[in-house]
Amino acid sequence: MNEQLDHIMKITERPSPVMVRGAGSWLWDRDGKRYLDFVQGWAVNSLGHSPRVVLDALSAQGSRLINCSPAYYNEPMAKLAGLLADASGLDQVFLCNSGAEANEGAIKLARKWGARHRDGAYEIITMHGSFHGRTLATMAASGKPGWDDIFPPKVHGFRKVPLGDLGAAVAAISSRTVAVMLEPIQGEAGVFPAGDEYLRALSTLTKEHGILLILDEIQTGIGRTGRFFGYQHAGVTPDIVTVGKGIGGGVPLAALIASGPVSCFEYGDQGGTFGGNPLMAAVGCAVVETVAQPEFLESVASNGAYLMARLRALAGHLGHGDVRGRGLLLALELKAQDAKKVSAAALDGGLLVNAPRPDALRFMPALTVSRDEIDAMLTILEASLGGRA
Ligand SMILES: *Cc1c(COP(=O)(O)O)cnc(C)c1O
């Protein structure tokens, strides 16, 4: 087995445990050690590990129809498109397999719309620190430090401005600009909210200039913040939204959602072999139907508020910093402690928690996490931070 591990391409530093089983908020490695999982497949397992609704959807759809090619309609594809159109108030849905693919589609759609309706405008204003994926275009769109001159030549057509600086966004708009694209909360950067005011100001700005507002809701969408979409807190309506991660409840599924007038792809412009396959789409329907229930979203909001309050109390007690984020996407700012080391200590103590930057820990539990599990997490976290065990 260890020799086989050596054949896995080295694209990230992984700790040694090999995970074999999950249930709800818990994950087990092959030595039988149990972990409380506040990473959850990277904010992916919205209903926890192996939830009943996902298993039922997989087995019912799997025995009925797994794949008929995107060249033909299928029932789950249609149902999921309808659910996402209803939830977003937008009109047209393209199903795909990963967040990067959804964002790549959003960039293509904006360019197509610019070619058609804005005299060939193609430039997209994006944010410093943003993360939109790992394809060539989405890496170029991202404002991740160190990504500026990686894999040359770079896809051009992106202009970066500081998150929250409206003046910089105004100044960056030219006749070449077709859209502004951002995450309502920058997740990978370390959980930095764009802020509702700023989102509203960008919505007004893009409307005034006749350009598009593209929201990357791959991390914030599907209930993560306590509303179905993160932008609903700000009361704005984007022209294009992308979702991924949590929509599949653990399986690879993502979507590009656009308003009717913006949706201008012609036959052949966009596609993908696995896009909208019935198996993944059926799981997506089960997840969306579960998460969209008002009581479900209320429980995410109240458990998120509870987690935030408890993290703030712990931070105050141990002399750490602010707690940022919304719903069940939160980060704790550490003072004078390396988050990577704390995350490693937590792993030893039976807790999975991510360190997106040297001074921050990120919490992205299952949306179904219980108060007891939050309490158990805090006990291990406090010990990992060098407080009492
Ligand atoms: C994870 C993420 C992506 C990329 O999604 P993949 O499925 O890894 O391609 C894009 N945007 C945001 C905001 C993300 O969090």
Side-chain angles (χ1 to χ4, degrees):
M1 169 71 115
N2 289 340
E3 270 164 44
Q4 292 164 337
L5 292 178
D6 287 341
H7 291 294
I8 297 172
M9 203 176 274
K10 306 226 168 358
I11 51 105
T12 189
E13 197 181 343
R14 296 182 174 101
S16 58
V18 176
M19 303 305 178
V20 295
R21 186 166 72 86
S25 284
W26 300 91
L27 192 58
W28 285 263
D29 71 17
R30 64 174 163 169
D31 299 324
K33 179 170 170 175
R34 185 172 87 143
Y35 303 86
L36 185 49
D37 190 356
F38 271 59
V39 172
Q40 284 290 358
W42 224 261
V44 157
N45 305 322
S46 31
L47 308 179
H49 290 282
S50 297
R52 182 43 53 196
V53 284
V54 168
L55 297 181
D56 287 349
L58 280 170
S59 83
Q61 189 59 44
S63 52
R64 201 167 145 78
L65 178 65
I66 292 178
N67 204 329
C68 59
S69 146
Y72 306 101
Y73 287 124
N74 69 70
E75 290 170 340
M77 170 202 254
K79 182 173 175 187
L80 184 54
L83 288 170
L84 291 174
D86 280 351
S88 64
L90 300 176
D91 195 59
Q92 295 288 302
V93 178
F94 170 74
L95 298 175
C96 51
N97 318 290
S98 72
E101 195 186 357
N103 282 339
E104 188 88 16
I107 294 163
K108 283 169 65 176
L109 186 60
R111 287 185 176 193
K112 177 95 187 186
W113 184 85
R116 280 247 183 127
H117 301 291
R118 218 176 126 78
D119 207 18
Y122 61 88
E123 211 168 72
I124 300 180
I125 297 171
T126 61
M127 303 293 148
H128 290 314
S130 62
F131 181 84
H132 297 297
R134 293 177 183 277
T135 60
L136 287 171
T138 55
M139 283 186 85
S142 299
K144 195 173 154 81
W147 275 16
D148 267 345
D149 15 71
I150 182 173
F151 307 129
K154 193 169 166 162
V155 176
H156 78 279
F158 299 98
R159 263 190 87 161
K160 312 276 162 60
V161 298
L163 180 71
D165 183 341
L166 190 65
V170 173
I173 296 177
S174 74
S175 59
R176 289 189 305 276
T177 311
V178 72
V180 175
M181 176 175 183
L182 76 160
E183 303 153 83
I185 300 173
Q186 289 191 344
E188 294 312 296
V191 189
F192 292 100
D196 295 343
E197 280 299 312
Y198 181 64
L199 279 181
R200 280 193 285 272
L202 285 180
S203 172
T204 306
L205 183 70
T206 50
K207 280 194 179 69
E208 276 169 9
H209 286 266
I211 58 177
L212 307 177
L213 179 62
I214 306 175
L215 293 180
D216 177 346
E217 290 256 5
I218 288 159
Q219 194 153 150
T220 51
I222 322 295
R224 180 59 52 187
T225 67
R227 293 280 186 101
F228 193 84
F229 291 105
Y231 66 77
Q232 289 168 333
H233 294 278
V236 300
T237 307
D239 300 289
I240 299 177
V241 187
T242 52
V243 291
K245 292 202 164 88
I247 189 177
V251 306
L253 179 65
L256 162 64
I257 312 170
S259 74
V262 168
S263 189
C264 59
F265 279 144
E266 293 171 285
Y267 292 161
D269 284 348
Q270 184 66 335
T273 303
F274 292 110
N277 71 81
L279 188 65
M280 300 300 108
V283 175
C285 290
V287 171
V288 168
E289 284 182 315
T290 305
V291 170
Q293 299 296 324
E295 318 82 70
F296 187 96
L297 291 169
E298 277 157 28
S299 84
V300 173
S302 75
N303 283 331
Y306 177 73
L307 174 58
M308 182 177 248
R310 292 233 32 204
L311 284 171
R312 285 215 161 116
L314 181 67
H317 172 58
L318 296 177
H320 289 291
D322 193 16
V323 179
R324 303 183 289 264
R326 195 170 231 166
L328 289 170
L329 178 60
L330 299 178
L332 165 64
E333 190 185 308
L334 300 184
K335 299 255 192 264
Q337 235 174 330
D338 179 358
K340 292 239 158 21
K341 287 191 183 141
V342 176
S343 167
L347 180 90
D348 285 344
L351 168 66
L352 303 185
V353 64
N354 164 248
R357 11 181 321 129
D359 67 353
L361 293 171
R362 174 170 44 169
F363 304 85
M364 36 188 173
L367 302 182
T368 51
V369 70
S370 70
R371 298 264 166 130
D372 284 351
E373 287 159 351
I374 292 174
D375 292 343
M377 186 282 289
L378 280 143
T379 303
I380 306 175
L381 180 67
E382 182 165 1
S384 313
L385 285 165
R388 285 176 310 101

